Amino acid sequence: KVLYQRTTKFQLSHVPSGLFMAVARMFGGNFYVTTTFGKIANLLIYAIVCFFAIKRLKSGKMILTVIALFPTSLFIASSFSYVFWVTCFSILGTAYFVGEMQRQNEPVTVKNTLIMCIAFALASIPKLIYAPLMLLPFFLKKKNFNNRKRYYLICVTVIVALGVLLMLKSLSVVTSTGDLRGGGAVSPKGQIKFILYN
């Protein structure tokens, strides 16, 4: 049971900052240096992923650059939060989707579609509410694919990935106490009880 609880609390978005902080500690860094290294790791991941997203587009690079460089986005990317992870991988997936739409005379490649789906899946891992982004490949036109089998294979892959994410989240939520921030009255159970009684 303890092992299961540890694995469900594991957050992929915290791994880069954890590794950088471990390296800083290994070289004898104090608290300030260690936390700064953790923030730099998050900012570095954000910058690299956004770079590849901007590079993917044929047009609209400046618009995406402005969105990626919003002060709020940069502030979040240089702090301890999973939001930078959601933002940068959502940007990457969207850039690949828009990039496929911009190449209307060329067929959709499996590689680009997989990158798009994986980016949206990675963005959804910290907070499953973003999982519907994985449905964007369904909006690619069938005529852009070389054959229908490939199109249906991509659709099935997206549905399976959504199912797996939902199952993993359901298992972690069912076995936990829920979000207790603000006390029992603000938890999902407390909110439902308040709605029913009032």
Side-chain angles (χ1 to χ4, degrees), residues 55-125:
K55 189 179 175 183
R56 175 73 187 104
L57 293 176
K58 278 187 175 180
S59 62
K61 290 178 189 267
M62 192 56 69
I63 295 169
L64 192 55
T65 303
V66 169
I67 291 168
L69 291 175
F70 277 154
T72 307
S73 300
L74 288 177
F75 174 75
I76 289 169
S78 58
S79 64
F80 292 108
S81 169
Y82 64 80
V83 180
F84 85 95
W85 185 273
V86 174
T87 305
C88 68
F89 282 106
S90 298
I91 287 173
L92 181 66
T94 307
Y96 267 82
F97 174 74
V98 172
E100 289 298 332
M101 299 294 270
Q102 288 174 342
R103 306 178 331 144
Q104 292 196 0
N105 298 326
E106 300 173 38
V108 176
T109 63
V110 175
K111 177 189 158 194
N112 290 340
T113 311
L114 280 174
I115 291 171
M116 184 193 332
C117 293
I118 290 168
F120 285 138
L122 286 171
S124 305
I125 287 172

Side-chain angles (χ1 to χ4, degrees), residues 1 4-5 8-9 168-180 187-189:
K1 188 176 178 184
Y4 179 76
Q5 287 175 343
T8 53
K9 288 182 181 178
L168 288 172
K169 189 65 177 178
S170 298
L171 287 171
S172 65
V173 169
V174 167
T175 56
S176 69
T177 54
D179 189 358
L180 295 176
S187 68
K189 183 179 172 185

